[in-house]
Every structure is written in structure tokens, then in C-alpha cells.
């Protein structure tokens, strides 16, 4: 018997509403920290990362996206996670 994943169920509990163009979907907004090594010093940076079902939206660099009612802009092309069912993308507040 084949195992069928329900990707929507994964986002149902913790996902927030997102809008990109005409696409409306659920996504997970994370704020991962990153330590940047700047030769003799280091800096601590907080990023905004959106995880979504890959087929739910087509996002490109500089696209506007609304996450839980707040405006963001896509910083770079999305990256697929593992088998490609989900993608992550870095976004910036507008």
C-alpha cells in the first residue's frame, strides 16, 4: 500500500495565511538566526523565512507576498526541501 502524504495537514495547525499574486496558501513563517563572520568580528542577523507547499505558489525574487496580513518581499528564488514537496524562501519586511 502506497503512503500518501497530506501536506495541507502539516500546515493546518501552525500555518498562517499567505497571498502572492492570485495564489492564497498557508505557510510557516520562521525567523532563523544567522551568525555572519566579518573577518575580525561577527554579527548576529535575524532572517525571515517562509515555508510553503511548492505547488501552492510560484514565487520569484522581488515578488511581493503577504504573510499573516503583513507585507514582505521575496529576497531570492525559493529552494525545495528534501523531496520537493515543500519549499523555503527568504523574505524581507517591506
Amino acid at each position: 500500500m502506497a503512503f500518501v502524504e497530506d501536506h495541507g495537514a502539516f500546515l493546518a495547525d501552525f500555518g498562517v495565511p499567505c497571498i502572492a499574486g492570485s495564489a492564497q496558501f498557508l505557510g510557516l513563517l520562521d525567523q532563523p538566526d544567522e551568525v555572519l563572520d566579518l573577518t575580525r568580528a561577527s554579527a548576529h542577523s535575524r532572517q525571515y523565512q517562509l515555508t510553503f507547499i511548492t505547488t501552492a505558489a510560484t514565487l520569484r525574487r522581488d515578488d511581493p507576498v503577504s504573510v499573516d496580513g503583513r507585507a514582505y518581499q521575496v529576497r531570492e528564488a525559493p529552494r525545495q526541501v528534501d523531496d520537493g514537496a515543500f519549499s523555503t524562501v527568504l523574505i524581507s519586511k517591506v
Side-chain angles (χ1 to χ4, degrees), residues 2-73:
F3 178 73
V4 178
E5 296 179 84
D6 182 0
H7 305 302
F10 177 77
L11 297 172
D13 289 336
F14 302 105
V16 295
C18 302
I19 301 171
S22 62
Q24 296 184 18
F25 56 98
L26 291 177
L28 297 174
L29 180 63
D30 293 314
Q31 296 179 22
D33 292 331
E34 182 177 12
V35 177
L36 305 170
D37 186 17
L38 305 171
T39 311
R40 294 182 167 225
S42 63
H44 189 255
S45 174
R46 176 156 294 149
Q47 311 253 0
Y48 295 96
Q49 178 178 290
L50 181 64
T51 301
F52 62 98
I53 296 173
T54 302
T55 58
T58 301
L59 300 176
R60 293 182 180 85
R61 185 177 183 185
D62 296 328
D63 280 353
V65 61
S66 171
V67 180
D68 205 17
R70 294 189 178 116
Y72 291 87
Q73 185 173 16

